Each structure stands twice: as C-alpha cells, then as structure tokens.
Amino acid sequence: MKRVTGIGGIFFNAKDPAVLRDWYKTHLGVDVQAWGGAAFTWTDDAGQPTGGSTIWSIGAAEGGDGFGPNKAPFMINYRVADLAALLKALRDEGCNVLEKSDDSEYGKFGWVIDPEGNKVELWEPPVGQ
C-alpha cells in the first residue's frame, strides 16, 4: 500500500496574518489570494500542468486552538492514495489516529498525532486530482 504520495498543503498561524501574508507576497512573490493563501499548481519538467496543487495558507494564531494537542503553529497536509486503508494501518500499528474524519467536495481528510504531539493531516483528493 502506498502511504504518503506528496504534500497537499502547508498551513501555519501567525500573530498578524495580514502583515505576514503581505510580507510573503511583497518579498517572495507568493500570489496570496483573498482567502489567505495560495495554490501552487504542479507542473512537469516542461512546465506543463500535471493536475494537482499544493496549498499554502496563513491563519490567525489568536483565538484558534492551534494544530493539535500541542498547539503547534503549523500543520502539514500529506496527500495519500487510500485514506481509509492508511488510517486502518496506522491504528493497527498503534498510532494516535483521531476518530474524526471528513469527506467533502475537497476530498477525504483524516488526522494522526505524531510522537511529538504534532497534528498531521492526511488527504485523499477527489478522483481526477
């Protein structure tokens, strides 16, 4: 069984998300959109789109519960091929898999907590993505 097949997104919180987003836009050229992040479209070696993207997003640190039990300021979303099979395998291996999962128009999501207490998001994209 394939496990992680790529990175679907990087999410982190900031004390002042608007200022930080503007810094990334101004100084690093990140195309920050009104929703607070950017989507980096995947391309092949020739620069042609390959049908996927990696999300980059900054949210507010204040008022949120962080990303996981240790209130980490970040969370990485890993793309997976078969979420249900991977969550079962992780449970069978004794990992701390959260009971909550989500199935939406954006795909299927599940979460596991790593040994350092970081919340790891697992994402099975919709068919065709």
Side-chain angles (χ1 to χ4, degrees):
M1 167 186 62
K2 280 189 172 183
R3 293 193 180 218
V4 170
T5 62
I7 295 185
I10 300 170
F11 304 88
F12 55 104
N13 289 330
K15 294 174 192 167
D16 191 336
V19 168
L20 193 57
R21 289 180 199 128
D22 186 55
W23 185 91
Y24 275 92
K25 188 172 192 168
T26 301
H27 299 288
L28 297 182
V30 176
D31 186 21
V32 179
Q33 301 296 305
W35 53 269
F40 293 93
T41 303
W42 298 348
T43 60
D44 62 18
D45 291 340
Q48 299 302 310
T50 59
S53 64
T54 299
I55 299 299
W56 174 96
S57 180
I58 298 175
E62 197 64 31
D65 61 356
F67 296 112
N70 71 352
K71 300 196 183 281
F74 68 91
M75 182 176 65
I76 298 177
N77 164 293
Y78 292 97
R79 186 179 174 115
V80 302
D82 184 343
L83 180 64
L86 180 53
L87 292 176
K88 181 184 180 323
L90 292 171
R91 283 186 181 99
D92 291 348
E93 294 163 2
C95 295
N96 182 6
V97 177
L98 301 184
E99 289 303 317
K100 177 186 181 216
S101 61
D102 188 28
D103 190 350
S104 74
E105 65 188 275
Y106 303 109
K108 298 174 183 175
F109 298 86
W111 297 270
V112 62
I113 306 300
D114 76 13
E116 294 282 326
N118 299 305
K119 187 176 184 181
V120 177
E121 186 169 70
L122 304 170
W123 169 58
E124 181 183 335
V127 175
Q129 286 192 19

mmCIF file of all heavy atoms in Angstrom, residues 31-78:
data_model
loop_
_atom_site.group_PDB
_atom_site.id
_atom_site.type_symbol
_atom_site.label_atom_id
_atom_site.label_comp_id
_atom_site.label_asym_id
_atom_site.label_seq_id
_atom_site.Cartn_x
_atom_site.Cartn_y
_atom_site.Cartn_z
ATOM 1 N N ASP A 31 1.641 34.458 -4.527
ATOM 2 C CA ASP A 31 0.382 35.018 -5.020
ATOM 3 C C ASP A 31 -0.734 34.779 -4.002
ATOM 4 O O ASP A 31 -1.606 33.932 -4.188
ATOM 5 C CB ASP A 31 0.037 34.391 -6.369
ATOM 6 C CG ASP A 31 -1.183 35.017 -7.011
ATOM 7 O OD1 ASP A 31 -1.548 36.162 -6.652
ATOM 8 O OD2 ASP A 31 -1.795 34.353 -7.872
ATOM 9 N N VAL A 32 -0.696 35.539 -2.898
ATOM 10 C CA VAL A 32 -1.663 35.376 -1.809
ATOM 11 C C VAL A 32 -3.033 35.870 -2.280
ATOM 12 O O VAL A 32 -3.175 36.985 -2.761
ATOM 13 C CB VAL A 32 -1.214 36.148 -0.548
ATOM 14 C CG1 VAL A 32 -2.233 35.983 0.567
ATOM 15 C CG2 VAL A 32 0.168 35.676 -0.100
ATOM 16 N N GLN A 33 -4.035 35.020 -2.118
ATOM 17 C CA GLN A 33 -5.394 35.327 -2.531
ATOM 18 C C GLN A 33 -6.215 35.849 -1.341
ATOM 19 O O GLN A 33 -5.784 35.756 -0.198
ATOM 20 C CB GLN A 33 -6.052 34.058 -3.095
ATOM 21 C CG GLN A 33 -5.313 33.462 -4.278
ATOM 22 C CD GLN A 33 -5.305 34.397 -5.470
ATOM 23 O OE1 GLN A 33 -6.357 34.831 -5.934
ATOM 24 N NE2 GLN A 33 -4.121 34.717 -5.954
ATOM 25 N N ALA A 34 -7.406 36.346 -1.608
ATOM 26 C CA ALA A 34 -8.267 36.925 -0.570
ATOM 27 C C ALA A 34 -8.592 35.927 0.549
ATOM 28 O O ALA A 34 -8.818 36.338 1.681
ATOM 29 C CB ALA A 34 -9.562 37.440 -1.201
ATOM 30 N N TRP A 35 -8.580 34.631 0.269
ATOM 31 C CA TRP A 35 -8.908 33.630 1.289
ATOM 32 C C TRP A 35 -7.743 33.381 2.246
ATOM 33 O O TRP A 35 -7.887 32.614 3.198
ATOM 34 C CB TRP A 35 -9.405 32.323 0.668
ATOM 35 C CG TRP A 35 -8.516 31.713 -0.378
ATOM 36 C CD1 TRP A 35 -8.570 31.940 -1.734
ATOM 37 C CD2 TRP A 35 -7.450 30.788 -0.168
ATOM 38 N NE1 TRP A 35 -7.600 31.208 -2.363
ATOM 39 C CE2 TRP A 35 -6.891 30.495 -1.419
ATOM 40 C CE3 TRP A 35 -6.898 30.176 0.966
ATOM 41 C CZ2 TRP A 35 -5.829 29.613 -1.592
ATOM 42 C CZ3 TRP A 35 -5.833 29.298 0.790
ATOM 43 C CH2 TRP A 35 -5.310 29.026 -0.473
ATOM 44 N N GLY A 36 -6.598 34.008 2.009
ATOM 45 C CA GLY A 36 -5.486 33.916 2.955
ATOM 46 C C GLY A 36 -4.366 32.991 2.567
ATOM 47 O O GLY A 36 -3.476 32.725 3.370
ATOM 48 N N GLY A 37 -4.380 32.507 1.357
ATOM 49 C CA GLY A 37 -3.324 31.593 0.944
ATOM 50 C C GLY A 37 -3.116 31.597 -0.552
ATOM 51 O O GLY A 37 -3.633 32.450 -1.273
ATOM 52 N N ALA A 38 -2.336 30.624 -0.996
ATOM 53 C CA ALA A 38 -2.024 30.486 -2.414
ATOM 54 C C ALA A 38 -2.075 29.002 -2.771
ATOM 55 O O ALA A 38 -1.892 28.141 -1.918
ATOM 56 C CB ALA A 38 -0.636 31.043 -2.707
ATOM 57 N N ALA A 39 -2.308 28.733 -4.041
ATOM 58 C CA ALA A 39 -2.280 27.362 -4.554
ATOM 59 C C ALA A 39 -1.160 27.280 -5.580
ATOM 60 O O ALA A 39 -1.175 27.996 -6.580
ATOM 61 C CB ALA A 39 -3.615 26.993 -5.182
ATOM 62 N N PHE A 40 -0.178 26.440 -5.288
ATOM 63 C CA PHE A 40 0.929 26.233 -6.216
ATOM 64 C C PHE A 40 0.582 25.049 -7.112
ATOM 65 O O PHE A 40 0.513 23.909 -6.649
ATOM 66 C CB PHE A 40 2.227 25.953 -5.458
ATOM 67 C CG PHE A 40 2.723 27.126 -4.671
ATOM 68 C CD1 PHE A 40 2.370 27.283 -3.331
ATOM 69 C CD2 PHE A 40 3.517 28.095 -5.269
ATOM 70 C CE1 PHE A 40 2.816 28.368 -2.603
ATOM 71 C CE2 PHE A 40 3.964 29.193 -4.537
ATOM 72 C CZ PHE A 40 3.617 29.334 -3.214
ATOM 73 N N THR A 41 0.339 25.321 -8.385
ATOM 74 C CA THR A 41 -0.041 24.283 -9.338
ATOM 75 C C THR A 41 1.182 23.454 -9.700
ATOM 76 O O THR A 41 2.253 23.995 -9.968
ATOM 77 C CB THR A 41 -0.639 24.928 -10.606
ATOM 78 O OG1 THR A 41 -1.742 25.745 -10.212
ATOM 79 C CG2 THR A 41 -1.116 23.875 -11.580
ATOM 80 N N TRP A 42 0.994 22.152 -9.703
ATOM 81 C CA TRP A 42 2.091 21.252 -10.046
ATOM 82 C C TRP A 42 2.307 21.253 -11.550
ATOM 83 O O TRP A 42 1.365 21.324 -12.334
ATOM 84 C CB TRP A 42 1.780 19.833 -9.611
ATOM 85 C CG TRP A 42 1.597 19.676 -8.138
ATOM 86 C CD1 TRP A 42 1.887 20.583 -7.157
ATOM 87 C CD2 TRP A 42 1.063 18.543 -7.480
ATOM 88 N NE1 TRP A 42 1.584 20.074 -5.932
ATOM 89 C CE2 TRP A 42 1.075 18.816 -6.092
ATOM 90 C CE3 TRP A 42 0.581 17.317 -7.906
ATOM 91 C CZ2 TRP A 42 0.623 17.914 -5.153
ATOM 92 C CZ3 TRP A 42 0.135 16.421 -6.974
ATOM 93 C CH2 TRP A 42 0.160 16.718 -5.614
ATOM 94 N N THR A 43 3.565 21.176 -11.950
ATOM 95 C CA THR A 43 3.928 21.095 -13.357
ATOM 96 C C THR A 43 4.987 20.015 -13.552
ATOM 97 O O THR A 43 5.690 19.634 -12.613
ATOM 98 C CB THR A 43 4.487 22.437 -13.873
ATOM 99 O OG1 THR A 43 5.655 22.779 -13.114
ATOM 100 C CG2 THR A 43 3.467 23.552 -13.765
ATOM 101 N N ASP A 44 5.112 19.566 -14.791
ATOM 102 C CA ASP A 44 6.157 18.605 -15.100
ATOM 103 C C ASP A 44 7.440 19.359 -15.447
ATOM 104 O O ASP A 44 7.499 20.593 -15.334
ATOM 105 C CB ASP A 44 5.718 17.660 -16.222
ATOM 106 C CG ASP A 44 5.421 18.365 -17.543
ATOM 107 O OD1 ASP A 44 5.863 19.530 -17.745
ATOM 108 O OD2 ASP A 44 4.748 17.752 -18.387
ATOM 109 N N ASP A 45 8.469 18.648 -15.877
ATOM 110 C CA ASP A 45 9.755 19.278 -16.191
ATOM 111 C C ASP A 45 9.658 20.310 -17.308
ATOM 112 O O ASP A 45 10.460 21.228 -17.380
ATOM 113 C CB ASP A 45 10.796 18.217 -16.555
ATOM 114 C CG ASP A 45 11.198 17.376 -15.362
ATOM 115 O OD1 ASP A 45 10.978 17.826 -14.208
ATOM 116 O OD2 ASP A 45 11.718 16.262 -15.562
ATOM 117 N N ALA A 46 8.657 20.166 -18.179
ATOM 118 C CA ALA A 46 8.460 21.109 -19.281
ATOM 119 C C ALA A 46 7.575 22.284 -18.888
ATOM 120 O O ALA A 46 7.274 23.149 -19.704
ATOM 121 C CB ALA A 46 7.859 20.383 -20.483
ATOM 122 N N GLY A 47 7.120 22.319 -17.626
ATOM 123 C CA GLY A 47 6.281 23.412 -17.167
ATOM 124 C C GLY A 47 4.806 23.225 -17.454
ATOM 125 O O GLY A 47 4.004 24.138 -17.259
ATOM 126 N N GLN A 48 4.411 22.033 -17.888
ATOM 127 C CA GLN A 48 3.008 21.752 -18.194
ATOM 128 C C GLN A 48 2.276 21.293 -16.936
ATOM 129 O O GLN A 48 2.811 20.492 -16.165
ATOM 130 C CB GLN A 48 2.909 20.663 -19.273
ATOM 131 C CG GLN A 48 3.557 21.060 -20.589
ATOM 132 C CD GLN A 48 2.959 22.332 -21.167
ATOM 133 O OE1 GLN A 48 1.748 22.465 -21.280
ATOM 134 N NE2 GLN A 48 3.812 23.279 -21.522
ATOM 135 N N PRO A 49 1.042 21.777 -16.700
ATOM 136 C CA PRO A 49 0.278 21.360 -15.526
ATOM 137 C C PRO A 49 0.101 19.845 -15.474
ATOM 138 O O PRO A 49 -0.093 19.205 -16.509
ATOM 139 C CB PRO A 49 -1.074 22.052 -15.715
ATOM 140 C CG PRO A 49 -0.801 23.190 -16.632
ATOM 141 C CD PRO A 49 0.316 22.742 -17.528
ATOM 142 N N THR A 50 0.170 19.291 -14.251
ATOM 143 C CA THR A 50 0.024 17.846 -14.088
ATOM 144 C C THR A 50 -1.216 17.467 -13.276
ATOM 145 O O THR A 50 -1.371 16.313 -12.919
ATOM 146 C CB THR A 50 1.268 17.238 -13.405
ATOM 147 O OG1 THR A 50 1.430 17.849 -12.128
ATOM 148 C CG2 THR A 50 2.506 17.419 -14.246
ATOM 149 N N GLY A 51 -2.073 18.414 -12.947
ATOM 150 C CA GLY A 51 -3.339 18.077 -12.304
ATOM 151 C C GLY A 51 -3.342 18.044 -10.792
ATOM 152 O O GLY A 51 -4.118 17.321 -10.204
ATOM 153 N N GLY A 52 -2.506 18.789 -10.154
ATOM 154 C CA GLY A 52 -2.520 18.850 -8.703
ATOM 155 C C GLY A 52 -1.991 20.187 -8.236
ATOM 156 O O GLY A 52 -1.465 20.975 -9.021
ATOM 157 N N SER A 53 -2.127 20.441 -6.951
ATOM 158 C CA SER A 53 -1.594 21.681 -6.398
ATOM 159 C C SER A 53 -1.255 21.483 -4.926
ATOM 160 O O SER A 53 -1.735 20.548 -4.294
ATOM 161 C CB SER A 53 -2.593 22.835 -6.556
ATOM 162 O OG SER A 53 -3.766 22.580 -5.817
ATOM 163 N N THR A 54 -0.420 22.355 -4.420
ATOM 164 C CA THR A 54 -0.084 22.392 -3.007
ATOM 165 C C THR A 54 -0.611 23.709 -2.450
ATOM 166 O O THR A 54 -0.323 24.775 -3.000
ATOM 167 C CB THR A 54 1.440 22.293 -2.788
ATOM 168 O OG1 THR A 54 1.890 21.050 -3.331
ATOM 169 C CG2 THR A 54 1.799 22.365 -1.318
ATOM 170 N N ILE A 55 -1.373 23.636 -1.386
ATOM 171 C CA ILE A 55 -1.942 24.827 -0.760
ATOM 172 C C ILE A 55 -0.973 25.362 0.293
ATOM 173 O O ILE A 55 -0.361 24.599 1.033
ATOM 174 C CB ILE A 55 -3.294 24.497 -0.097
ATOM 175 C CG1 ILE A 55 -4.291 23.994 -1.144
ATOM 176 C CG2 ILE A 55 -3.857 25.689 0.674
ATOM 177 C CD1 ILE A 55 -4.614 24.982 -2.238
ATOM 178 N N TRP A 56 -0.861 26.666 0.343
ATOM 179 C CA TRP A 56 -0.032 27.376 1.327
ATOM 180 C C TRP A 56 -0.958 28.400 1.962
ATOM 181 O O TRP A 56 -1.609 29.179 1.244
ATOM 182 C CB TRP A 56 1.120 28.035 0.591
ATOM 183 C CG TRP A 56 1.996 28.928 1.407
ATOM 184 C CD1 TRP A 56 3.182 28.579 2.005
ATOM 185 C CD2 TRP A 56 1.804 30.323 1.683
ATOM 186 N NE1 TRP A 56 3.710 29.670 2.636
ATOM 187 C CE2 TRP A 56 2.887 30.754 2.454
ATOM 188 C CE3 TRP A 56 0.813 31.234 1.370
ATOM 189 C CZ2 TRP A 56 3.016 32.055 2.905
ATOM 190 C CZ3 TRP A 56 0.933 32.538 1.806
ATOM 191 C CH2 TRP A 56 2.030 32.935 2.572
ATOM 192 N N SER A 57 -1.080 28.386 3.294
ATOM 193 C CA SER A 57 -2.055 29.266 3.927
ATOM 194 C C SER A 57 -1.587 29.719 5.307
ATOM 195 O O SER A 57 -1.022 28.931 6.066
ATOM 196 C CB SER A 57 -3.390 28.524 4.062
ATOM 197 O OG SER A 57 -4.371 29.337 4.660
ATOM 198 N N ILE A 58 -1.870 30.994 5.606
ATOM 199 C CA ILE A 58 -1.561 31.566 6.919
ATOM 200 C C ILE A 58 -2.873 31.957 7.581
ATOM 201 O O ILE A 58 -3.683 32.669 7.001
ATOM 202 C CB ILE A 58 -0.670 32.818 6.799
ATOM 203 C CG1 ILE A 58 0.675 32.465 6.169
ATOM 204 C CG2 ILE A 58 -0.459 33.459 8.166
ATOM 205 C CD1 ILE A 58 1.563 33.667 5.901
ATOM 206 N N GLY A 59 -3.060 31.489 8.813
ATOM 207 C CA GLY A 59 -4.251 31.828 9.585
ATOM 208 C C GLY A 59 -3.861 32.556 10.856
ATOM 209 O O GLY A 59 -2.678 32.730 11.164
ATOM 210 N N ALA A 60 -4.847 32.977 11.607
ATOM 211 C CA ALA A 60 -4.613 33.721 12.845
ATOM 212 C C ALA A 60 -4.280 32.778 13.994
ATOM 213 O O ALA A 60 -4.980 31.795 14.223
ATOM 214 C CB ALA A 60 -5.844 34.544 13.201
ATOM 215 N N ALA A 61 -3.221 33.081 14.715
ATOM 216 C CA ALA A 61 -2.833 32.291 15.889
ATOM 217 C C ALA A 61 -3.760 32.591 17.053
ATOM 218 O O ALA A 61 -4.093 31.713 17.837
ATOM 219 C CB ALA A 61 -1.386 32.595 16.273
ATOM 220 N N GLU A 62 -4.186 33.829 17.176
ATOM 221 C CA GLU A 62 -5.039 34.254 18.284
ATOM 222 C C GLU A 62 -6.448 33.707 18.101
ATOM 223 O O GLU A 62 -7.027 33.784 17.035
ATOM 224 C CB GLU A 62 -5.088 35.788 18.333
ATOM 225 C CG GLU A 62 -5.575 36.345 19.629
ATOM 226 C CD GLU A 62 -4.663 36.019 20.804
ATOM 227 O OE1 GLU A 62 -3.450 35.894 20.616
ATOM 228 O OE2 GLU A 62 -5.197 35.874 21.905
ATOM 229 N N GLY A 63 -6.993 33.135 19.157
ATOM 230 C CA GLY A 63 -8.370 32.671 19.123
ATOM 231 C C GLY A 63 -8.543 31.266 18.580
ATOM 232 O O GLY A 63 -9.599 30.690 18.709
ATOM 233 N N GLY A 64 -7.503 30.695 17.978
ATOM 234 C CA GLY A 64 -7.612 29.336 17.462
ATOM 235 C C GLY A 64 -7.067 28.339 18.465
ATOM 236 O O GLY A 64 -6.463 28.700 19.465
ATOM 237 N N ASP A 65 -7.289 27.075 18.190
ATOM 238 C CA ASP A 65 -6.783 26.050 19.103
ATOM 239 C C ASP A 65 -5.470 25.458 18.610
ATOM 240 O O ASP A 65 -5.008 24.451 19.113
ATOM 241 C CB ASP A 65 -7.826 24.951 19.311
ATOM 242 C CG ASP A 65 -8.198 24.238 18.026
ATOM 243 O OD1 ASP A 65 -7.710 24.630 16.950
ATOM 244 O OD2 ASP A 65 -8.989 23.278 18.096
ATOM 245 N N GLY A 66 -4.864 26.104 17.615
ATOM 246 C CA GLY A 66 -3.622 25.574 17.080
ATOM 247 C C GLY A 66 -3.897 24.348 16.239
ATOM 248 O O GLY A 66 -5.029 24.053 15.894
ATOM 249 N N PHE A 67 -2.852 23.659 15.909
ATOM 250 C CA PHE A 67 -2.980 22.465 15.090
ATOM 251 C C PHE A 67 -2.585 21.258 15.921
ATOM 252 O O PHE A 67 -1.478 20.760 15.841
ATOM 253 C CB PHE A 67 -2.090 22.572 13.854
ATOM 254 C CG PHE A 67 -2.482 23.677 12.920
ATOM 255 C CD1 PHE A 67 -1.665 24.774 12.742
ATOM 256 C CD2 PHE A 67 -3.672 23.620 12.221
ATOM 257 C CE1 PHE A 67 -2.025 25.788 11.873
ATOM 258 C CE2 PHE A 67 -4.040 24.641 11.354
ATOM 259 C CZ PHE A 67 -3.211 25.724 11.180
ATOM 260 N N GLY A 68 -3.507 20.819 16.735
ATOM 261 C CA GLY A 68 -3.247 19.612 17.506
ATOM 262 C C GLY A 68 -3.150 19.878 18.982
ATOM 263 O O GLY A 68 -3.269 21.009 19.438
ATOM 264 N N PRO A 69 -2.909 18.826 19.695
ATOM 265 C CA PRO A 69 -2.907 18.943 21.154
ATOM 266 C C PRO A 69 -1.774 19.809 21.696
ATOM 267 O O PRO A 69 -1.898 20.379 22.767
ATOM 268 C CB PRO A 69 -2.775 17.497 21.625
ATOM 269 C CG PRO A 69 -2.221 16.755 20.474
ATOM 270 C CD PRO A 69 -2.673 17.479 19.241
ATOM 271 N N ASN A 70 -0.671 19.955 20.959
ATOM 272 C CA ASN A 70 0.439 20.742 21.495
ATOM 273 C C ASN A 70 0.411 22.197 21.029
ATOM 274 O O ASN A 70 1.355 22.926 21.254
ATOM 275 C CB ASN A 70 1.785 20.091 21.147
ATOM 276 C CG ASN A 70 2.126 20.211 19.680
ATOM 277 O OD1 ASN A 70 1.311 20.644 18.871
ATOM 278 N ND2 ASN A 70 3.326 19.822 19.314
ATOM 279 N N LYS A 71 -0.676 22.604 20.377
ATOM 280 C CA LYS A 71 -0.859 23.976 19.908
ATOM 281 C C LYS A 71 0.272 24.431 18.995
ATOM 282 O O LYS A 71 0.737 25.567 19.047
ATOM 283 C CB LYS A 71 -1.038 24.942 21.078
ATOM 284 C CG LYS A 71 -2.249 24.607 21.930
ATOM 285 C CD LYS A 71 -2.640 25.753 22.814
ATOM 286 C CE LYS A 71 -3.784 25.376 23.702
ATOM 287 N NZ LYS A 71 -5.067 25.391 23.111
ATOM 288 N N ALA A 72 0.734 23.537 18.141
ATOM 289 C CA ALA A 72 1.779 23.855 17.169
ATOM 290 C C ALA A 72 1.289 24.970 16.244
ATOM 291 O O ALA A 72 0.107 25.050 15.924
ATOM 292 C CB ALA A 72 2.137 22.620 16.352
ATOM 293 N N PRO A 73 2.189 25.835 15.795
ATOM 294 C CA PRO A 73 1.795 26.917 14.898
ATOM 295 C C PRO A 73 1.697 26.479 13.436
ATOM 296 O O PRO A 73 1.496 27.297 12.558
ATOM 297 C CB PRO A 73 2.924 27.939 15.088
ATOM 298 C CG PRO A 73 4.118 27.099 15.423
ATOM 299 C CD PRO A 73 3.570 25.948 16.226
ATOM 300 N N PHE A 74 1.833 25.186 13.165
ATOM 301 C CA PHE A 74 1.810 24.720 11.791
ATOM 302 C C PHE A 74 1.127 23.360 11.691
ATOM 303 O O PHE A 74 0.956 22.655 12.680
ATOM 304 C CB PHE A 74 3.238 24.576 11.243
ATOM 305 C CG PHE A 74 3.989 23.456 11.908
ATOM 306 C CD1 PHE A 74 3.974 22.181 11.379
ATOM 307 C CD2 PHE A 74 4.674 23.671 13.093
ATOM 308 C CE1 PHE A 74 4.630 21.146 12.011
ATOM 309 C CE2 PHE A 74 5.330 22.642 13.726
ATOM 310 C CZ PHE A 74 5.304 21.366 13.190
ATOM 311 N N MET A 75 0.759 22.999 10.475
ATOM 312 C CA MET A 75 0.287 21.655 10.182
ATOM 313 C C MET A 75 0.610 21.378 8.722
ATOM 314 O O MET A 75 0.404 22.238 7.859
ATOM 315 C CB MET A 75 -1.220 21.515 10.410
ATOM 316 C CG MET A 75 -1.728 20.099 10.149
ATOM 317 S SD MET A 75 -3.485 19.878 10.524
ATOM 318 C CE MET A 75 -4.242 20.958 9.323
ATOM 319 N N ILE A 76 1.112 20.199 8.452
ATOM 320 C CA ILE A 76 1.383 19.793 7.076
ATOM 321 C C ILE A 76 0.309 18.799 6.671
ATOM 322 O O ILE A 76 -0.047 17.902 7.424
ATOM 323 C CB ILE A 76 2.793 19.191 6.946
ATOM 324 C CG1 ILE A 76 3.829 20.251 7.318
ATOM 325 C CG2 ILE A 76 3.013 18.667 5.522
ATOM 326 C CD1 ILE A 76 5.252 19.787 7.301
ATOM 327 N N ASN A 77 -0.207 18.990 5.481
ATOM 328 C CA ASN A 77 -1.225 18.125 4.896
ATOM 329 C C ASN A 77 -0.509 17.236 3.886
ATOM 330 O O ASN A 77 0.115 17.739 2.955
ATOM 331 C CB ASN A 77 -2.284 19.014 4.220
ATOM 332 C CG ASN A 77 -3.177 18.268 3.269
ATOM 333 O OD1 ASN A 77 -2.739 17.800 2.231
ATOM 334 N ND2 ASN A 77 -4.447 18.215 3.585
ATOM 335 N N TYR A 78 -0.575 15.925 4.104
ATOM 336 C CA TYR A 78 0.062 14.977 3.205
ATOM 337 C C TYR A 78 -0.977 14.327 2.310
ATOM 338 O O TYR A 78 -2.026 13.866 2.776
ATOM 339 C CB TYR A 78 0.793 13.887 4.001
ATOM 340 C CG TYR A 78 1.982 14.398 4.742
ATOM 341 C CD1 TYR A 78 1.892 14.737 6.087
ATOM 342 C CD2 TYR A 78 3.215 14.565 4.112
ATOM 343 C CE1 TYR A 78 2.988 15.214 6.785
ATOM 344 C CE2 TYR A 78 4.316 15.041 4.802
ATOM 345 C CZ TYR A 78 4.194 15.368 6.135
ATOM 346 O OH TYR A 78 5.279 15.848 6.820
#
